[in-house]
Amino acid sequence: MRRVVVTGLGAVTPIGNDVETFWENLLSGKSGIVPIDRFDVSDYPVRIAGQVKGYEPEKYMDKKEVRRIDLYAQYAVGAAMEALLHSGLKITEENRARVGVYIGSGIGGLQTMLENHTLLIERGPKRVSPFLVPMMISNMASGYISMMTGAMGPNLAPVSACATGTHAVGDAFKIIARGDADAMICGGAEATICDLALAGFSNMKALSTHNDHPERASRPFDRNRDGFVMGEGAGVVVLESLDAAIARNARILAEVVGYGLSADAYHLTAPEPSGRGASLAMQSALNDAGLEPTMVDYINAHGTSTDLNDKLETLAVKSVFGEHAYRFCLSSIKSMTGHLLGAAGGVEAVATVKTLLTGMVPPTINYETPDEECDLDYVPNRARHLDVKVAMSNSFGFGGHNASILLRQYTPN
């Protein structure tokens, strides 16, 4: 199996529309949770979200094309083009069959579907856009990016709820490792801050109702957490085989060394009560990498700010890492970005690579009241300097989908 490295990063998030702005705001503990201003939320029990602000898709495509792809795919394009530029990878006639795209979305073009359903009801079937289907389907971000870049290699779009982005990165890692591609543009994208999604998640009682203090609403692992906060955006990384990266003298940012995935086989939305499914994914990633638990320095936690998830992720970490769980740290950037659903794993992969590069661990903000069932070191409220050589990133999704990836500082040998 070939070694696989990270050479490019891209992000569109509620706290920055490029990687450096996103990272700077993460380390400063800035929240991107704000009152929703895209539609009237006065009748909703939840009126806050992690909205992307100031994104300009016209930087990457003309206005005509912008009108023909859903917002989630527009975010994906921005993150992918930033990652590709950052990597320095040039896609040419000679290499295009060996470069693939693997970008998923948990929900896809929900806003496009809603708008066209309204047109159907109010103005009849002839008013429905001929672009409805390609705009709303969850694979279109991956397909569109291949069209923009000319990448003709493996092209797929995983849909596994909140684990989507991590599955995309992990699967792309394996595609390169087994020799089916030399490079992959991979990650996740989501844009579901709309009335239907807000109503659905609200009625599930899954969302925080801290409407009066939105910046304090997402509080992973804190005893007073009361639900997650919806977010949106995209996170993309460029992966390459080590040989391909060296051959073109690329800057290598980190190495992907392990990938684990599992199912809870338990419930539509609730995690399995023992945390076994999450434990299986983490242990599988360690086994895949050939690493001992004591070699992990940091976990970028799923950390959604829901009662069950945070408690059971903590339990699963202790199950896998034993006493070492009390010697290392984990944190949740969802305290600042909100939960980006299918994009979360991609954005969190970007953050994990930045931690390996800079030796800075982003904090879990809004951590004020310890929970006796969440008793690990969550890097409360302030970023921490730490020489992180090996890091894990976790994602767990509705339907019991679990994924963990392991990354480490790159060394030539």
Side-chain angles (χ1 to χ4, degrees), residues 2-274:
R2 302 191 301 174
R3 291 174 68 181
V4 178
V5 295
V6 184
T7 59
L9 305 174
V12 175
T13 77
I15 56 171
N17 297 335
D18 59 79
V19 170
E20 290 311 312
T21 304
F22 160 68
W23 183 243
E24 179 181 338
N25 287 330
L26 272 188
L27 295 186
S28 67
K30 181 178 180 179
S31 173
I33 312 305
V34 296
I36 294 171
D37 59 10
R38 292 183 186 167
F39 55 96
D40 183 4
V41 294
S42 56
D43 290 335
Y44 291 76
V46 175
R47 299 186 291 277
I48 57 175
Q51 292 186 173
V52 169
K53 297 285 190 178
Y55 177 65
E56 300 177 11
E58 293 84 2
K59 288 182 178 179
Y60 310 103
M61 64 195 91
D62 63 37
K63 291 183 179 180
K64 183 177 180 181
E65 288 301 308
V66 170
R67 292 194 296 269
R68 292 179 175 179
I69 68 170
D70 186 84
L71 186 58
Y72 91 92
Q74 294 176 30
Y75 291 158
V77 166
M81 298 311 287
E82 181 187 13
L84 197 58
L85 179 65
H86 185 219
S87 75
L89 176 65
K90 306 297 183 185
I91 300 176
T92 66
E93 187 61 40
E94 288 70 30
N95 70 4
R96 64 189 303 201
R98 301 289 298 169
V99 181
V101 184
Y102 207 124
I103 295 176
S105 177
I107 299 175
L110 183 59
Q111 182 62 42
T112 292
M113 183 179 71
L114 288 172
E115 291 171 355
N116 280 271
H117 181 260
T118 299
L119 287 172
L120 174 66
I121 298 303
E122 294 181 353
R123 303 179 67 182
K126 290 185 178 180
R127 303 302 299 179
V128 171
S129 170
F131 297 103
L132 166 64
V133 174
M135 286 178 72
M136 76 176 188
I137 53 181
S138 297
N139 68 308
M140 194 47 61
S142 195
Y144 192 79
I145 289 163
S146 74
M147 296 172 210
M148 288 186 69
T149 62
M152 295 183 68
N155 191 291
L156 292 162
V159 179
S160 49
C162 308
T164 296
T166 300
H167 277 138
V169 176
D171 288 350
F173 158 57
K174 289 300 181 182
I175 286 170
I176 296 171
R178 66 177 180 251
D180 290 339
D182 294 326
M184 295 291 293
I185 304 163
C186 54
E190 204 78 86
T192 56
I193 300 175
C194 60
D195 49 9
L196 183 62
L198 185 66
F201 281 123
S202 294
N203 292 343
M204 285 176 61
K205 308 297 183 185
L207 301 179
S208 172
T209 56
H210 281 287
N211 297 306
D212 294 335
H213 301 283
E215 73 283 354
R216 298 177 61 193
S218 184
R219 43 183 59 240
F221 306 107
D222 184 90
R223 190 172 69 186
N224 296 319
R225 63 193 182 274
D226 72 328
F228 75 86
V229 178
M230 288 179 66
E232 63 177 355
V236 174
V237 300
V238 174
L239 303 184
E240 297 184 59
S241 72
L242 177 59
D243 290 344
I246 290 174
R248 66 178 190 87
N249 198 31
R251 184 190 177 202
I252 295 173
L253 310 177
E255 183 174 2
V256 187
V257 293
Y259 174 43
L261 57 169
S262 70
D264 279 355
Y266 174 70
H267 190 270
L268 288 175
T269 58
E272 198 275 329
S274 73

Side-chain angles (χ1 to χ4, degrees), residues 202-404:
S202 294
N203 292 343
M204 285 176 61
K205 308 297 183 185
L207 301 179
S208 172
T209 56
H210 281 287
N211 297 306
D212 294 335
H213 301 283
E215 73 283 354
R216 298 177 61 193
S218 184
R219 43 183 59 240
F221 306 107
D222 184 90
R223 190 172 69 186
N224 296 319
R225 63 193 182 274
D226 72 328
F228 75 86
V229 178
M230 288 179 66
E232 63 177 355
V236 174
V237 300
V238 174
L239 303 184
E240 297 184 59
S241 72
L242 177 59
D243 290 344
I246 290 174
R248 66 178 190 87
N249 198 31
R251 184 190 177 202
I252 295 173
L253 310 177
E255 183 174 2
V256 187
V257 293
Y259 174 43
L261 57 169
S262 70
D264 279 355
Y266 174 70
H267 190 270
L268 288 175
T269 58
E272 198 275 329
S274 73
R276 185 183 178 193
S279 298
L280 282 170
M282 288 187 275
Q283 186 61 59
S284 294
L286 288 166
N287 294 346
D288 187 43
L291 297 179
E292 295 298 323
T294 53
M295 299 175 73
V296 176
D297 303 305
Y298 167 67
I299 295 179
N300 188 303
H302 188 53
T304 59
S305 186
T306 61
D307 178 57
L308 286 178
N309 176 87
D310 294 1
K311 177 172 62 177
L312 293 176
E313 184 171 13
T314 298
L315 182 64
V317 167
K318 290 191 285 190
S319 172
V320 172
F321 291 91
E323 286 301 312
H324 184 60
Y326 293 95
R327 301 188 189 107
F328 69 177
C329 61
L330 58 162
S331 66
S332 173
I333 69 169
K334 292 182 179 72
S335 59
M336 293 167 275
T337 64
H339 191 349
L340 274 61
L341 308 176
V347 170
E348 288 158 20
V350 170
T352 304
V353 172
K354 290 293 288 183
T355 290
L356 290 163
L357 276 172
T358 65
M360 294 298 298
V361 175
T364 304
I365 69 167
N366 301 319
Y367 186 88
E368 298 168 352
T369 307
D371 181 341
E372 60 274 10
E373 293 187 275
C374 297
D375 59 348
L376 302 177
D377 179 356
Y378 304 108
V379 194
N381 302 312
R382 291 187 179 181
R384 183 180 303 169
H385 185 271
L386 185 68
D387 182 17
V388 177
K389 291 184 170 60
V390 178
M392 176 178 281
S393 184
N394 288 335
S395 295
F396 312 128
F398 283 178
H401 301 283
N402 307 304
S404 299

